[in-house]
């Protein structure tokens, strides 16, 4: 049996480690389901029977009760919606959820960061009446897309597409939020590295990337490619779950705005190598488990092959 020491310390019990390690708690259900939907379900059409999703989460240590509770919460927060077929239900992404996932997908699976054109993309909160809920929704949505915040009312990014960023704000609860925001693109005389330090905490994030590398480096890509399908799916999910959680804090800045000792470069290269190695055996498991309410077996999108610049 392949010795497998690297993946997500909270989940080492999946690989027949000692009993003391098996007692550690699994990741929280809601963020783990978000990862599974974005990484595994979306490439297969973004639609899955609830029973199939429950089976998919089982080897990750998430009980049926937790899956049902988490899916209900994601539906209440407008990420997912249910479609009933008789006594069964499929869950699929809402328009809002799909926009959020597609924005995250560009960030997570990109081959690398594009060169900077020297222009900042800015979203400025207009002096209108803002509720606390609107401010929090704006902050969370733009942070998800990598925007940094200056002086409380200005969000900026060196490369985010502004129209897509504004569209991602629209939900049933906040249908007209973009009317309170002014978008502009421009350059300035300020020290760009000082601006980066003011808007983002990169030092702490770089340390977290370094820890990610140390945890996952022991798994060689050749060994990952030989894992059994279910194990490969678990390994891939935990790898990308941890990496995605780091990327939620990563603004995706161009290389010339990053510090010289930025550990994110090494983390991305390592994650890409392992992900490519795990892709084939994990997809075999997904083809077996993923199913819609009518018994259909969804097909893998051709776009999957381009993740991490593999195409």
């Amino acid at each position: 049996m392949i010795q497998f020491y690297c993946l997500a310390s909270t989940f080492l019990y999946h690989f027949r480690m000692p009993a003391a390690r098996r007692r550690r708690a699994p990741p929280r259900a809601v963020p783990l389901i978000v990862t599974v939907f974005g990484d595994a379900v979306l490439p297969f059409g973004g639609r899955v029977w609830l029973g199939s999703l429950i089976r998919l989460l089982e080897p990750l240590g998430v009980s049926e009760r937790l899956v049902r509770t988490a899916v209900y919460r994601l539906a209440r927060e407008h990420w997912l919606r249910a479609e009933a077929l008789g006594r069964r239900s499929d869950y699929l992404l809402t328009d809002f959820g799909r926009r959020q996932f597609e924005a995250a997908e560009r960030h997570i699976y990109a081959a690398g960061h594009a060169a900077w054109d020297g222009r900042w993309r800015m979203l400025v909160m207009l002096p209108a009446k803002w509720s606390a809920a609107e401010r929090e929704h704006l902050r969370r949505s733009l942070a998800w897309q990598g925007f940094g915040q200056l002086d409380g009312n200005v969000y900026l990014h060196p490369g985010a597409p502004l129209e897509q960023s504004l569209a991602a704000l629209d939900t049933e609860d906040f249908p007209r939020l973009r009317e309170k925001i002014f978008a502009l693109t421009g350059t300035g005389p300020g020290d760009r590295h000082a601006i980066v330090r003011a808007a983002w905490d990169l030092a702490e994030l770089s340390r977290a990337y370094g820890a990610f590398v140390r945890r996952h480096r022991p798994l060689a890509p050749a060994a990952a490619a030989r894992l059994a399908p279910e194990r490969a799916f678990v390994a891939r999910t935990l790898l990308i779950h941890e990496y995605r959680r780091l990327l939620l804090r990563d603004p995706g800045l161009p290389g010339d705005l990053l510090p010289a000792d930025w550990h994110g470069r090494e983390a991305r290269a390592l994650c890409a190598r392992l992900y490519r190695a795990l892709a084939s055996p994990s997809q075999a498991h997904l083809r077996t488990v993923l199913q819609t309410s009518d018994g259909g077996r969804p097909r893998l999108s051709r776009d999957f092959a381009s993740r991490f610049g593999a195409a």
Side-chain angles (χ1 to χ4, degrees), residues 26 30 57 64 78-80 105 121 136 138 154-155 157 160 201 245-246 254 260 293:
V30 169
L57 272 292
E64 177 177 346
H78 310 302
W79 285 82
L80 302 177
E105 187 173 21
R121 282 72 174 168
E136 179 62 12
L138 178 69
V154 178
Y155 293 85
H157 194 278
D201 179 7
R245 288 172 71 84
L246 289 172
S293 290

Side-chain angles (χ1 to χ4, degrees), residues 19-20 50 84 91 101 108 153 169 172 179 206 227 238 274 292-294:
L50 180 59
Y91 276 88
F101 273 98
I108 295 170
N153 295 318
L169 299 174
E172 294 178 15
E179 296 177 7
S206 185
L227 287 174
L238 297 174
L274 291 175
T292 51
S293 290
D294 60 1

Side-chain angles (χ1 to χ4, degrees), residues 95-131:
D95 290 341
F96 166 73
R98 184 171 289 274
R99 287 194 300 268
Q100 298 292 330
F101 273 98
E102 289 174 350
E105 187 173 21
R106 289 191 295 271
H107 191 26
I108 295 170
Y109 305 105
H113 300 313
W116 189 36
D117 63 3
R119 297 162 64 85
W120 293 102
R121 282 72 174 168
M122 290 173 280
L123 297 175
V124 182
M125 298 171 64
L126 295 174
K129 184 177 180 180
W130 287 79
S131 68

Side-chain angles (χ1 to χ4, degrees), residues 38-311:
D39 185 63
V41 178
L42 189 59
F44 280 91
R47 182 188 192 106
V48 64
W49 169 45
L50 180 59
S52 180
L53 185 63
I54 290 168
R55 183 182 171 194
L56 200 61
L57 272 292
E58 183 180 359
L60 288 158
V62 183
S63 68
E64 177 177 346
R65 180 184 62 81
L66 285 176
V67 173
R68 291 182 181 277
T69 301
V71 165
Y72 173 78
R73 175 178 165 186
L74 287 167
R76 189 179 59 196
E77 294 177 356
H78 310 302
W79 285 82
L80 302 177
R81 63 184 177 89
E83 283 191 3
L85 182 64
R87 299 182 63 181
R88 291 184 166 189
S89 292
D90 281 345
Y91 276 88
L92 56 159
L93 295 170
T94 62
D95 290 341
F96 166 73
R98 184 171 289 274
R99 287 194 300 268
Q100 298 292 330
F101 273 98
E102 289 174 350
E105 187 173 21
R106 289 191 295 271
H107 191 26
I108 295 170
Y109 305 105
H113 300 313
W116 189 36
D117 63 3
R119 297 162 64 85
W120 293 102
R121 282 72 174 168
M122 290 173 280
L123 297 175
V124 182
M125 298 171 64
L126 295 174
K129 184 177 180 180
W130 287 79
S131 68
E134 287 175 327
R135 286 180 178 275
E136 179 62 12
H137 173 70
L138 178 69
R139 184 194 66 78
R140 293 180 63 182
S141 181
L142 293 181
W144 171 274
Q145 298 177 64
F147 279 79
Q149 189 174 10
L150 293 175
D151 75 18
N153 295 318
V154 178
Y155 293 85
L156 80 164
H157 194 278
L162 289 180
E163 183 54 38
Q164 292 180 22
S165 298
L166 288 169
L169 299 174
D170 294 339
T171 69
E172 294 178 15
D173 293 334
F174 307 101
R176 302 170 66 93
L177 197 60
R178 69 170 70 191
E179 296 177 7
K180 299 182 178 184
I181 299 169
F182 181 65
L184 67 157
T185 303
T187 60
D191 181 344
R192 61 188 184 184
H193 291 290
I195 293 173
V196 168
R197 287 193 297 271
W200 296 281
D201 179 7
L202 295 183
E204 192 280 331
L205 181 57
S206 185
R207 289 192 292 270
Y209 273 130
F212 173 89
V213 170
R214 290 190 295 274
R215 280 192 294 274
H216 293 271
R217 187 187 287 134
L219 177 62
R226 294 195 298 270
L227 287 174
E230 183 179 279
R231 283 192 173 198
F233 164 72
V234 171
R236 167 181 151 185
T237 300
L238 297 174
L239 174 78
I240 209 68
H241 182 64
E242 184 178 356
Y243 186 62
R244 169 186 164 272
R245 288 172 71 84
L246 289 172
L247 284 182
L248 289 176
R249 299 153 53 193
D250 189 331
L253 302 181
D256 48 359
L257 292 179
L258 293 169
D261 60 350
W262 177 244
H263 291 298
R265 299 184 185 92
E266 188 180 2
R268 174 171 287 274
L270 175 62
C271 186
R273 289 195 301 272
L274 291 175
Y275 191 88
R276 294 186 195 118
L278 292 164
S280 180
S282 62
Q283 296 295 36
H285 179 68
L286 290 168
R287 289 189 179 94
T288 300
V289 175
L290 282 180
Q291 186 178 350
T292 51
S293 290
D294 60 1
R297 299 285 182 178
R299 292 186 177 183
L300 180 66
S301 167
R302 292 182 179 179
D303 293 339
F304 179 84
S306 64
R307 286 186 169 181
F308 289 109

